[in-house]
Amino acid sequence: MTDAKPLNVLFLCTHNSARSILAEALLNHLGKGKFKAFSAGSSPKDNQKPNPIAIATLDKAGISTDGLTSKSWDVFATSDAPHMDLVITVCDNAAGEVCPYWPGQPATAHWGYPDPSETVGTDEQKLEAFKQTLHQIKRRLELFTSLPLTSLNKMALENTARELAKK
């Protein structure tokens, strides 16, 4: 990776409406040109849109939501799609979710988060669940974005991203 070419990171989840959307927006916010984040889902519903609470959470945190859309990972499988350097799944396989698998040669890691859109309760409780998820993602991404460029070759990138899953 050089200063001229950002590292492309794809966040994958099932529906691409909450966790992966939060991660995409947050990395683009924190990445300062070193990173370009994308997100997609293995099986987004027809006409799926980002969860409105995810958008509200990002807005409240001062993070741009411009261009955020829910989309299938098929968008990134075309010949004209950007090459991904790192693919991170953000689904919670501890909750029995099936995490998507990304074929190919990018570095991969899994950062599991419970789905805040599954929160049952008041609007305030749902908003708090999204806020907590954003905070958890932010903790890992702040560590990730502070890495020196020499840590971002494929093997080091994969090892580092996997180690961050433990934090």
Side-chain angles (χ1 to χ4, degrees):
M1 187 183 129
T2 68
D3 291 323
K5 181 181 174 290
L7 187 79
N8 288 334
V9 179
L10 177 62
F11 293 97
L12 289 180
C13 207
T14 307
H15 300 296
N16 189 218
S17 68
R19 295 161 290 186
S20 51
I21 291 287
L22 294 173
E24 174 187 3
L26 192 53
L27 181 56
N28 282 330
H29 179 76
L30 297 172
K32 298 183 175 105
K34 275 177 54 175
F35 302 92
K36 175 65 178 144
F38 304 87
S39 69
S42 58
S43 57
K45 298 175 182 140
D46 289 339
N47 300 314
Q48 179 93 33
K49 292 186 177 9
N51 187 298
I53 303 173
I55 299 300
T57 302
L58 291 165
D59 285 339
K60 188 171 183 176
I63 299 168
S64 175
T65 59
D66 291 345
L68 292 177
T69 61
S70 296
K71 59 205 148 301
S72 169
W73 66 359
D74 294 340
V75 169
F76 296 100
T78 64
S79 59
D80 60 338
H83 167 77
M84 293 302 144
D85 299 295
L86 175 63
V87 176
I88 300 174
T89 53
V90 292
C91 49
D92 184 14
N93 58 9
E97 286 183 280
V98 176
C99 291
Y101 166 75
W102 185 258
Q105 299 301 314
T108 60
H110 174 72
W111 295 356
Y113 303 101
D115 188 351
S117 65
E118 296 293 320
T119 301
V120 177
T122 65
D123 288 346
E124 291 79 23
Q125 290 168 320
K126 292 175 184 178
L127 189 58
E128 182 62 23
F130 274 86
K131 182 179 165 188
Q132 289 303 314
T133 301
L134 182 68
H135 177 72
Q136 292 168 4
I137 294 169
K138 183 178 181 186
R139 253 192 1 235
R140 284 184 181 151
L141 287 177
E142 284 175 335
L143 292 169
F144 181 67
T145 58
S146 69
L147 294 171
L149 293 177
T150 56
S151 298
L152 301 179
N153 67 57
K154 183 182 177 195
M155 185 59 74
L157 178 65
E158 187 165 87
N159 289 338
T160 301
R162 288 180 179 182
E163 281 298 312
L164 286 173
K166 299 173 185 174
K167 301 203 183 291

